[in-house]
């Protein structure tokens, strides 16, 4: 009796294990049918069974295409049956995708980040008016906050205005502006407010000091 036991490690490899071994046997049976008419009939029955596993998707056209592709994949592309869709090829399945091209940005002021140039370009494209002015000063304040994250010391607004003028290729000029940016202490206070969300070091120290020892 023990000699008749069959272990999964000794069974046929499942190409798509999610469908189970019985469905794989059905596909193997379809490949052995002699006439194409019979193979087509069995293939449609298998597609129906595969669709029943996910009934809420079985009538969606794209999902039907996916089922037929998986049918041919599970048959090792050996099933000679008619499909309502273009049959997938083994070469296409095994082909490797082309490597992604990552943007090679090397900004001069890296502490501002890569997105700041996109924000500046958008501001430059806007028409003159209150909205553009508001966006420009919002960008300048963001640049000041990024600068303070990189350099904890205070920074003059003139430095930010010079950098903004340079990054916008001279199209945004706030050098002669009388309006000041947000105060450095307020920007850093906003950061510390959220960074200490889990509790200050002082409270943690007191907790460890008053904790009972067993």
């Amino acid at each position: 009796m023990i000699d008749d036991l069959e272990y999964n490690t000794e069974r046929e490899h499942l190409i798509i294990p999610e469908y189970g071994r019985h469905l794989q046997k059905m596909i193997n049976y379809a490949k052995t049918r002699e006439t194409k008419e019979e193979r087509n009939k069995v293939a449609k029955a298998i597609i129906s069974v595969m669709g029943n596993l996910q009934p809420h998707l079985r009538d969606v056209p794209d999902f039907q295409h996916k089922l037929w592709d998986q049918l041919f994949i599970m048959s090792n592309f050996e099933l000679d049956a008619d499909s309502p869709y273009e049959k997938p090829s083994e070469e296409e399945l095994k082909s490797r995708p082309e490597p992604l091209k990552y943007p090679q940005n090397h900004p001069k002021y890296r502490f501002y980040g890569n997105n700041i140039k996109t924000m500046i370009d958008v501001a430059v494209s806007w028409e003159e008016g209150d909205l553009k002015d508001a966006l420009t000063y919002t960008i300048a304040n963001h640049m000041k906050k990024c600068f303070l994250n990189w350099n904890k010391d205070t920074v003059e607004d003139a430095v930010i205005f010079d950098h903004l003028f340079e990054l916008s290729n001279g199209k945004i000029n706030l050098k002669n502006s009388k309006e000041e940016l947000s105060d450095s202490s307020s920007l850093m206070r906003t950061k510390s407010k959220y960074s200490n969300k889990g509790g200050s070091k002082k409270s943690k120290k007191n907790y460890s000091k008053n904790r009972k020892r067993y």
Side-chain angles (χ1 to χ4, degrees):
M1 182 176 177
I2 298 179
D3 296 337
D4 296 334
L5 291 177
E6 187 179 15
Y7 295 95
N8 285 336
T9 55
E10 299 174 352
R11 292 176 176 176
E12 178 187 6
H13 171 69
L14 294 179
I15 300 175
I16 304 181
E18 290 81 357
Y19 286 108
R21 191 166 301 279
H22 292 293
L23 192 66
Q24 184 67 54
K25 290 182 178 180
M26 293 171 63
I27 296 174
N28 295 341
Y29 171 79
K31 292 192 296 182
T32 62
R33 299 301 86 199
E34 295 181 357
T35 64
K36 194 169 189 178
E37 181 181 358
E38 193 174 0
R39 289 194 297 271
N40 289 339
K41 184 178 179 180
V42 177
K44 291 179 180 178
I46 295 174
I47 291 294
S48 178
V49 174
M50 295 170 67
N52 286 336
L53 298 177
Q54 303 186 55
H56 61 290
L57 294 174
R58 63 183 175 185
D59 295 326
V60 179
D62 291 342
F63 185 67
Q64 286 286 315
H65 193 175
K66 178 180 179 181
L67 292 181
W68 279 97
D69 286 349
Q70 290 179 337
L71 173 64
F72 289 111
I73 292 172
M74 293 172 68
S75 68
N76 278 326
F77 304 94
E78 297 173 356
L79 178 60
D80 184 15
D82 295 329
S83 170
Y85 309 97
E86 183 180 355
K87 295 181 181 180
S89 63
E90 186 175 3
E91 293 76 13
E92 182 180 0
L93 180 66
K94 293 183 178 180
S95 62
R96 292 191 175 187
E98 296 182 0
L100 292 174
K101 295 181 179 180
Y102 290 93
Q104 300 296 328
N105 294 330
H106 302 286
K108 182 176 180 180
Y109 305 109
R110 304 181 68 175
F111 44 85
Y112 290 134
N114 290 327
N115 291 331
I116 197 67
K117 188 65 172 67
T118 303
M119 296 167 64
I120 293 174
D121 293 339
V122 171
V124 169
S125 64
W126 283 17
E127 296 181 357
E128 297 294 334
D130 294 339
L131 286 177
K132 182 175 182 178
D133 292 340
L135 177 60
T136 300
Y137 278 95
T138 300
I139 294 174
N141 276 309
H142 180 69
M143 291 172 63
K144 185 174 183 178
K145 186 175 182 179
C146 293
F147 191 101
L148 292 172
N149 288 335
W150 170 70
N151 185 359
K152 302 301 181 182
D153 297 333
T154 185
V155 56
E156 298 293 335
D157 291 351
V159 176
I160 302 299
F161 293 155
D162 288 341
H163 291 173
L164 181 58
F165 181 81
E166 183 179 353
L167 293 174
S168 64
N169 295 323
K171 296 180 181 179
I172 298 180
N173 188 358
L174 300 179
K175 294 181 179 181
N176 299 324
S177 175
K178 296 181 180 179
E179 185 173 349
E180 297 181 353
L181 299 178
S182 299
D183 185 69
S184 299
S185 58
S186 64
L187 291 174
M188 296 302 292
R189 192 182 306 118
T190 303
K191 178 187 174 185
S192 60
K193 176 182 177 182
Y194 292 99
S195 62
N196 291 334
K197 192 173 182 180
S200 63
K201 294 182 179 178
K202 184 177 180 180
S203 61
K204 292 181 179 178
K205 184 178 180 180
N206 292 336
Y207 171 76
S208 60
K209 182 178 180 180
N210 298 328
R211 186 175 57 185
K212 294 181 179 180
R213 296 184 179 181
Y214 298 96

